[in-house]
Amino acid sequence: MSVIGEENVRGGAVFRDINADDEDSQPTEIESLCMNCYKNGTTRLLLTKIPFFKEIIISSFSCPNCNWSNTEIQSAGRIQDQGITYTLKIKSKQDMNREVVKSDSATTRIPELDFEIPPYTQKGALSTIEGLLDRAVAGLEQDQPLRRVSAPEAAEKIEEFIKKLKKLKDVENEFTLIVDDPSGNSFVENPMAPQKDEALTVTHYNRTDQQDITLGLKAEEEEEEEKPGNDLDSMRNEVLRFNTNCPGCNAPASTNMKLVQIPHFKEVIIMATNCDACGLRTNEVKSGGATEQQGTKITLHITDPSDMTRDLLKSETCGILIPELEFEMGMAALGGKFTTVEGILTDIKDLIVSKNPFLCGDSSTADRTQKLKEFGQKIDKIIEGNLNVHLVLDDPTGNSYIQNVYAPDPDPEMTTEKYNRTFEQNEELGLNDMKTEGYQE
């Protein structure tokens, strides 16, 4: 600390840019205990700045007695306001030379190998992408001699995985490196800075309460005290966002959630997930209220192309019928959706025709393929307004809806029927065993 103090007194910069020609930028040497042989070694500290990034402290220890050495980095700045995720598409050997700052709290992933280095399992490091792979290989090889004796099958599998990691350095196939750091203090070099790097995606995100606790920014008691109450007014005006993994490629993604009031109906929760890595977009609807006392059967007579624009809410428990096409779909198909009549018909066509596994391979037959194609053509005619049919939503929980364009007056083309659920329907919904009164007894 005295050397740093003297530097301030002289008026020089404490953190200097990395520069090989800077003769004044010399590390500070401190005599310290070797944790391998417990004799004295030397720790060298260098305070420096990485261009287009921030200040860091690089430390290197070496022991002349047992030749043990160790290097690590620490962020010299504060924990950032947001976490950060770097997603890099590695396409050539040149990419392996990119500099990487990996802090203690960072998680490193390679989705193609389903490989992950969890946070706090390695010290922070200033390295290259090739260096990260070498470090991962060294960590896996460390206990291999013992595994070959005690668990030969596990050792063999790890050896195969090590070969895959080493093969990545040849970059025969493109792969993805993801560095996710909730502290915001990790970094992946952009060699084209300040221009944008098309192969590198940088995403900032808000930390969760658990991540704040892990980083020491919040005590566990504070988390319990700061839990929000049932402030529905604030939830209605706010889009909630939380981090998740993409269901398609398992890359880090974000899900947006919003509480929406549907006119002349009730509140629903709409959730949308977007993945920047593979482009997958999904949306899902959950009921924002309780299960109704009675089921609901909504029948819409489609007579005009304008009916295609009606809003439609299909809950997860809703079945769909089109009597004229002798079509019936159970409650589990398609999931919850907030869309239009045209949207639900298009989803039905995609499910039955476009994404049907029985239309290809050994499972397909000429007769079945022809029938399904004819079904798809009839759906197209309904969407174009050339075929009048009845669309029926049968929801035993009463949480589905079709827009009444004449509201608040009755819709002449739509009927809504309430009915009592059967024992079997209650059993399927898990309501028979649900006790809401006197449960404390």
Side-chain angles (χ1 to χ4, degrees):
M1 296 301 293
S2 60
V3 176
I4 297 175
E6 292 174 5
E7 188 78 30
N8 280 322
V9 171
R10 293 199 304 267
V14 175
F15 294 93
R16 298 173 178 269
D17 292 331
I18 292 179
N19 189 346
D21 299 326
D22 188 357
E23 296 181 357
D24 295 332
S25 180
Q26 297 297 324
T28 301
E29 295 189 357
I30 303 172
E31 187 176 2
S32 53
L33 180 69
C34 174
M35 300 308 295
N36 186 48
C37 68
Y38 300 102
K39 296 181 180 180
N40 284 343
T42 303
T43 296
R44 295 173 177 83
L45 298 175
L46 178 63
L47 284 69
T48 187
K49 289 193 296 185
I50 296 178
F52 305 103
F53 187 47
K54 56 174 67 100
E55 299 88 356
I56 62 170
I57 301 173
I58 304 175
S59 64
S60 173
F61 175 83
S62 60
C63 178
N65 301 292
C66 64
N67 296 322
W68 187 72
S69 63
N70 181 39
T71 61
E72 62 180 79
I73 70 154
Q74 292 180 343
S75 173
R78 62 182 179 85
I79 293 177
Q80 305 305 306
D81 294 333
Q82 291 183 306
I84 194 167
T85 300
Y86 292 91
T87 304
L88 176 64
K89 295 288 185 180
I90 299 175
K91 303 177 181 179
S92 64
K93 284 191 175 182
Q94 188 175 359
D95 289 329
M96 302 297 292
N97 297 325
R98 292 184 187 233
E99 289 186 351
V100 178
V101 176
K102 177 184 174 298
S103 75
D104 296 0
S105 58
T107 300
T108 306
R109 299 188 189 93
I110 301 177
E112 287 79 1
L113 295 185
D114 198 18
F115 175 69
E116 177 177 314
I117 302 175
Y120 304 107
T121 56
Q122 292 181 346
K123 290 290 186 180
L126 171 61
S127 182
T128 62
I129 293 175
E130 184 176 2
L132 285 182
L133 294 177
D134 288 338
R135 195 177 184 190
V137 168
L140 291 172
E141 288 179 336
Q142 182 176 0
D143 296 325
Q144 277 295 84
L146 180 62
R147 289 194 197 98
R148 291 190 181 98
V149 176
S150 59
E153 293 183 1
E156 185 177 349
K157 290 181 180 179
I158 292 175
E159 190 66 36
E160 292 176 0
F161 190 81
I162 290 173
K163 291 179 181 178
K164 292 180 181 179
L165 277 178
K166 290 181 177 179
K167 194 173 182 181
L168 288 181
K169 295 195 292 184
D170 298 330
V171 197
E172 295 178 357
N173 297 309
E174 177 182 321
F175 67 95
T176 307
L177 177 74
I178 300 170
V179 179
D180 183 7
D181 186 2
S183 75
N185 287 326
S186 291
F187 171 76
V188 176
E189 179 191 8
N190 173 6
M192 294 179 284
Q195 282 78 31
K196 182 180 179 181
D197 186 348
E198 296 297 333
L200 180 65
T201 303
V202 182
T203 305
H204 297 269
Y205 61 87
N206 295 324
R207 285 186 292 271
T208 63
D209 288 341
Q210 185 58 48
Q211 287 173 327
D212 281 338
I213 292 172
T214 304
L215 293 171
L217 299 177
K218 182 187 293 186
E220 293 190 21
E221 293 78 15
E222 292 178 6
E223 181 196 25
E224 295 178 0
E225 292 174 2
E226 296 177 7
K227 282 185 179 179
N230 295 326
D231 191 359
L232 292 178
D233 290 334
S234 62
M235 289 182 64
R236 290 188 184 97
N237 300 322
E238 182 181 359
V239 177
L240 303 179
R241 183 174 183 178
F242 55 91
N243 300 315
T244 183
N245 285 352
C246 172
C249 67
N250 203 36
S254 60
T255 296
N256 296 325
M257 184 173 70
K258 182 76 165 64
L259 189 63
V260 177
Q261 173 68 49
I262 298 179
H264 309 288
F265 188 51
K266 61 174 69 176
E267 285 181 328
V268 297
I269 300 171
I270 299 178
M271 295 185 292
T273 302
N274 299 329
C275 178
D276 295 330
C278 67
L280 179 69
R281 297 177 182 271
T282 64
N283 66 80
E284 190 174 358
V285 174
K286 300 285 187 182
S287 172
T291 299
E292 297 294 325
Q293 294 292 329
Q294 293 181 303
T296 304
K297 186 175 182 180
I298 306 172
T299 303
L300 172 65
H301 187 199
I302 300 175
T303 58
D304 190 86
S306 62
D307 289 328
M308 295 296 109
T309 62
R310 291 179 186 244
D311 289 335
L312 183 146
L313 171 66
K314 176 197 173 297
S315 76
E316 292 179 316
T317 57
C318 178
I320 300 178
L321 296 87
I322 305 178
E324 288 81 0
L325 302 187
E326 297 182 356
F327 171 77
E328 181 176 352
M329 185 173 67
M331 64 171 65
L334 292 180
K337 282 186 174 291
F338 184 50
T339 179
T340 61
V341 173
E342 180 179 359
I344 202 70
L345 290 174
T346 302
D347 288 339
I348 290 172
K349 179 185 174 184
D350 290 342
L351 181 66
I352 301 300
V353 181
S354 304
K355 301 177 182 178
N356 194 329
F358 296 105
L359 286 181
C360 57
D362 297 338
S363 300
S364 65
T365 62
D367 183 52
R368 178 186 296 159
T369 302
Q370 183 60 29
K371 286 182 179 180
L372 292 178
K373 286 184 177 179
E374 290 176 358
F375 178 83
Q377 292 169 358
K378 290 179 181 178
I379 293 291
D380 289 334
K381 288 182 179 180
I382 297 173
I383 294 174
E384 294 166 0
N386 298 325
L387 183 60
N388 294 348
V389 297
H390 290 81
L391 178 67
V392 182
L393 301 187
D394 188 354
D395 188 354
T397 65
N399 287 325
S400 294
Y401 159 87
I402 298 178
Q403 181 186 9
N404 175 3
V405 293
Y406 297 90
D409 298 325
D411 190 330
E413 301 298 338
M414 187 168 67
T415 59
T416 301
E417 175 190 350
K418 297 285 185 179
Y419 63 89
N420 294 323
R421 287 185 292 269
T422 64
F423 178 87
E424 288 75 15
Q425 287 174 320
N426 282 331
E427 185 70 19
E428 190 171 0
L429 295 171
L431 299 177
N432 288 333
D433 299 326
M434 187 177 294
K435 189 176 183 181
T436 58
E437 295 180 0
Y439 59 89
Q440 293 178 339
E441 299 174 3

